[in-house]
Amino acid sequence: MFDWKQDPHRRFNPLIREWVLVSPQRTARPWQGQMEEAAAGTEPDYDPQCYLCPGNARAGGARNPEYTSTFVFDNDFAALKPDTALARFEQDGLLVAESEPGICRVVCFSPRHNLTMANMEPADLRRVVDVWVEQYGELGAQPLINSVQIFENRGAMMGASNPHPHCQIWSNHAVPNEVAKETAAQQAWLGQRGGCLLCDYAKLERAGGERVVEENDSFLAVVPFWAVWPFETMVIAKRHASGIDGFTDVERDGLVDILKRTTSRYDRLFHVSFPYSMGIHQRPTDGGAHTEWHVHAHFYPPLLRSATVRKFLVGYEMLATPQRDITPEAAAERLRTV
Ligand code: H2U
Ligand code: ZN
C-alpha cells in the first residue's frame, strides 16, 4: 500500500505546470550540520549609517527626506531604465535578445529602522498596502510597462542589503518568466474548466484545512500542495480579483492582517527574524482584462531546520527538478502550532 505521508512521490504545481519531488522518508535521516541559534539582532530605531533611514544620504548622492510614514524613490542602482529604446536581435533562432525598458523603485515601509511587517502597527502596514496599490496603478498605466513586480527580500540570507523595512518594485516591458507561466496556466484553466484556478484551489484548501496556516474573512495563507521551500506559503484572496487594485477597503485591511499573522508565525518558528523573499503576483498591465488572473502572494523562506540551517536548491534540483523532504502538510502543522 502506498503511503502519501511516508513514500516518495511527485506533486504537480498547476500554477506553473511543473513538478516537485517529495521524499518524506528522508526527514528521518541523520543531520550532522550546524544547528546553533542565530545571534539575536538588536537593531536601533535609527541608524546613522542606513541609506533608508529618514534624513540620511543614499549611496547615489541623494538625501532622504525626514519622512514619517512610507517613502518611495527610484532605485539609485536600477536594473531597468525607462528611456531604453525598443530593440530586438535574432540570429538563426539561437541568439535572441530584446531591449528591456522599465522602472525600479524602492519603498520604505516605515521611518523606523528596526521594524518588520510582523511588528508594525496595522494602520502603518495599511499605508504600505495603499502605496502598493498606488504604485501598481501608476507604473502599470505607463504604455511601456506591462508587468509590475512588488517583492521584498527579508534578511541577509536572502540577499537583503539592509534590515530597514522596505520592498522593491521592478516594472518592465516584458512579462517575466514566473508571471508568464502563471498567466498561461490560469488562461488554460479558465478555457478548459470555465473557472478560476485559484478560486477553485482556495475552496478546496478551505474545505480540507490540512495545509491552511492562517485565515481571515478576506484571505487564506496555505502551504501549497506543491510547495518547494520547506515553509513556503501562498496568501490567496478569497474573492476573485485580478490585482491588488481590485481590493476593497476591508480586503486591504484583511491583507495587512494576514501578512502580520503569517510573518509572526514565521518569526516564532525558529525564534529568529525569519528571512524570506515575498512577492505579489497579479495580472500583467498590458491593457488586457486578464479575468483569468487571481491575485496572490508567495512567501519563499530558505530556512529548513533552525535559524541558520537553510535549504539549498542545488544538485538534483538544479539539474532535474526541485525536491523537498518535509511534506507541505507537516510544514503547515508546524506553522499552526507556533
Ligand atoms: P534590497 O535590500 O532588496 O537589495 O533592496 C535595496 C535596494 O536599494 C537595492 O536594489 C537600492 C539597491 O539598488 N539602493 C538605492 O537605491 N540607493 C542606495 O543608496 C543604496 C541601495
Ligand atoms: Zn534605516
Side-chain angles (χ1 to χ4, degrees):
M1 264 292 276
F2 187 84
D3 182 354
W4 293 99
K5 285 196 168 79
Q6 297 293 333
D7 297 332
H9 58 280
R10 61 185 199 139
R11 297 188 183 194
F12 183 66
N13 179 343
L15 250 192
I16 55 170
R17 298 189 286 195
E18 289 176 4
W19 294 86
V20 53
L21 183 64
V22 185
S23 315
Q25 78 285 1
R26 291 179 86 217
T27 49
R29 83 188 196 278
W31 175 258
Q32 298 184 319
Q34 355 151 244
M35 279 282 273
E36 80 269 20
E37 294 275 298
T42 41
E43 292 288 342
D45 217 42
Y46 165 78
D47 177 356
Q49 302 304 322
C50 170
Y51 58 79
L52 296 178
C53 275
N56 288 1
R58 294 209 302 273
R63 185 169 288 278
N64 297 326
E66 292 288 347
Y67 66 96
T68 54
S69 65
T70 57
F71 172 52
V72 184
F73 63 93
D74 284 334
N75 196 312
D76 298 308
F77 306 96
L80 300 157
K81 300 193 299 184
D83 49 9
T84 307
L86 289 180
R88 191 166 202 281
F89 171 82
E90 179 160 354
Q91 190 181 325
D92 304 332
L94 290 171
L95 311 183
V96 183
E98 289 177 355
S99 69
E100 185 65 284
I103 300 169
C104 296
R105 290 186 175 155
V106 178
V107 181
C108 296
F109 292 174
S110 161
R112 282 192 51 193
H113 184 77
N114 54 6
L115 293 183
T116 64
M117 286 207 280
N119 52 31
M120 278 176 72
E121 288 300 323
D124 295 336
L125 194 52
R126 168 60 197 262
R127 181 66 204 130
V128 174
V129 169
D130 290 344
V131 167
W132 289 343
V133 176
E134 284 161 26
Q135 291 292 321
Y136 178 63
E138 183 192 317
L139 292 165
Q142 307 211 19
L144 274 179
I145 300 297
N146 293 321
S147 180
V148 178
Q149 183 58 59
I150 298 169
F151 66 97
E152 179 190 13
N153 286 326
R154 179 88 215 147
M157 197 178 270
M158 288 312 285
S161 57
N162 189 325
H164 195 112
H166 70 283
C167 74
Q168 296 194 47
I169 305 177
W170 291 22
S171 57
N172 48 317
H173 186 61
V175 176
N177 296 347
E178 293 305 305
V179 181
K181 282 188 272 186
E182 293 192 2
T183 302
Q186 290 175 102
Q187 271 169 358
W189 188 274
L190 181 64
Q192 287 155 19
R193 310 218 181 200
C196 163
L197 194 162
L198 286 182
C199 281
D200 292 351
Y201 181 60
K203 197 183 300 170
L204 184 155
E205 288 292 9
R206 285 177 74 191
E210 216 186 351
R211 283 170 296 273
V212 176
V213 174
E214 280 289 354
E215 180 171 3
N216 63 26
D217 288 346
S218 307
F219 291 90
L220 202 63
V222 302
V223 180
F225 181 76
W226 52 81
V228 167
W229 296 94
F231 296 96
E232 175 178 335
T233 55
M234 185 157 73
V235 172
I236 313 171
K238 285 186 181 175
R239 193 177 60 82
H240 186 77
S242 60
I244 52 177
D245 53 347
F247 290 159
T248 62
D249 198 51
V250 170
E251 284 167 332
R252 290 187 194 194
D253 283 340
L255 180 58
V256 166
D257 176 70
I258 205 96
L259 290 174
K260 279 186 66 69
R261 287 163 179 249
T262 305
T263 53
S264 301
R265 284 195 184 278
Y266 277 155
D267 289 353
R268 291 197 296 269
L269 186 65
F270 296 131
H271 311 288
V272 68
S273 189
F274 210 68
Y276 57 75
S277 278
M278 182 279 286
I280 298 170
H281 276 160
Q282 48 190 334
R283 74 174 186 284
T285 55
D286 55 5
H290 288 291
T291 52
E292 79 280 4
W293 252 94
H294 190 118
V295 59
H296 58 276
H298 296 280
F299 277 92
Y300 298 136
L303 290 179
L304 175 64
R305 63 180 78 241
S306 76
T308 54
V309 178
R310 60 164 295 165
K311 172 186 175 69
F312 289 96
L313 284 172
V314 294
Y316 186 80
E317 322 200 276
M318 290 179 96
L319 292 149
T321 204
Q323 184 269 344
R324 63 179 297 127
D325 295 348
I326 177 178
T327 63
E329 295 73 35
E333 170 78 44
R334 283 192 63 185
L335 284 170
R336 274 196 304 268
T337 55
V338 291

